[in-house]
Amino acid sequence: MNTAISAEWRKLCTVRSTRYILGSPLVALAVGGLVAVLMTADWDGSTAAERTTFPGADPAILAVPFTQFCLAALGALVMTSEYATGMIRTSLAAVPRRRRLIAAKAAVVASVAFVSGQTIAVASFALGGLITGDRPAPIAAWESVPEGLAAAFGNGLSIMVIGVVGLGFGAVLRSTAGAFVAVGAVLFVLPTVARMVFPSWGEDIASLLPAGLAPQFAGTADDPVLPPVLALAVMLGYAAFALIAAVFALTRRDA
């Protein structure tokens, strides 16, 4: 198993797109920081009544969803790039046990997504605090450091889960474009459609999708549908289901 993981890690590191994908969230973080700076400047020039309508100046609002998509794309590419190049046959020749191959790929994707996700989430929290300084809520996204770090950890964990979900989409669909569309639908389209089609309980549906579970797990959601333990269980359930689907697709179909 260690040999398989090492091989998957080497393959991931030698692909040029990996560097681009992992570097892209830094751009989103910078843009999120710029938005936070502009919001804070607007706050400083606003009246007391106007300040009550401000949302929190949190770079994570932009950086985290973008990172979720990037790491899901990376997870999908781990599978789809091998089908596109025919490298999957070589991988299966080197690791004939297909479940072991999926496990090795999942271990690498989960590790990279977890580290990248936590880095972006914590950096977003730190950058937001640096920009807002000692200004009070609501412009300050978090009232305390523990609350902000809990939210950051939840966001980082969600990025890892969504990266594994991307791997599952890649294994099932075997198409980079198809996997990207599926990931985008789960992350962005379905929550929006649920809120539009079901105004009364669409928010609850969106809260049960992968991107909506992190605040509930961290205990920072305003009106949580699930308690933290159950939100974590559902989050990990998405990853488990994605891996089961990936194993089924790889073992039941020819490469």
Side-chain angles (χ1 to χ4, degrees):
M1 186 64 184
N2 290 339
T3 302
I5 293 175
S6 178
E8 292 300 325
W9 173 256
R10 184 168 299 180
K11 282 190 288 185
L12 187 67
C13 292
T14 55
V15 177
R16 185 180 300 174
S17 61
T18 300
R19 295 190 291 273
Y20 297 151
I21 290 174
L22 294 181
S24 296
L26 297 176
V27 178
L29 177 62
V31 174
L34 176 61
V35 172
V37 168
L38 295 176
M39 289 177 63
T40 303
D42 194 18
W43 161 277
D44 290 338
S46 299
T47 64
E50 291 172 337
R51 288 179 175 182
T52 61
T53 64
F54 273 70
D58 186 6
I61 294 175
L62 178 63
V64 169
F66 188 78
T67 306
Q68 288 173 338
F69 181 81
C70 286
L71 270 298
L74 181 67
L77 282 170
V78 166
M79 291 300 306
T80 60
S81 61
E82 294 203 9
Y83 283 108
T85 60
M87 188 68 186
I88 187 65
R89 298 183 183 89
T90 304
S91 296
L92 290 173
V95 187
R97 296 184 179 180
R98 300 189 177 198
R99 291 183 179 84
R100 178 173 293 182
L101 179 63
I102 288 293
K105 289 180 178 296
V108 171
V109 169
S111 299
V112 172
F114 182 78
V115 173
S116 301
Q118 293 297 340
T119 299
I120 292 297
V122 173
S124 297
F125 164 68
L127 182 60
L130 183 65
I131 291 170
T132 57
D134 58 356
R135 295 173 180 84
I139 194 64
W142 309 109
E143 296 182 359
S144 66
V145 172
E147 184 183 24
L149 289 178
F153 180 77
N155 286 331
L157 188 63
S158 75
I159 291 168
M160 181 196 75
V161 168
I162 292 171
V164 176
V165 170
L167 175 70
F169 277 129
V172 172
L173 299 176
R174 300 187 177 187
S175 164
T176 300
F180 283 14
V181 170
V183 166
V186 170
L187 288 178
F188 309 120
V189 178
L190 289 182
T192 303
V193 170
R195 294 184 180 101
M196 292 176 61
V197 177
F198 308 104
S200 58
W201 39 281
E203 191 66 39
D204 292 344
I205 297 176
S207 297
L208 298 176
L209 294 172
L213 292 167
Q216 298 175 85
F217 164 65
T220 58
D222 293 332
D223 189 17
V225 176
L226 301 173
V229 174
L230 192 53
L232 176 62
V234 174
M235 196 184 301
L236 297 179
Y238 277 111
F241 181 79
L243 290 179
I244 292 171
V247 169
F248 184 85
L250 191 61
T251 56
R252 298 292 179 175
R253 294 188 291 181
D254 293 334

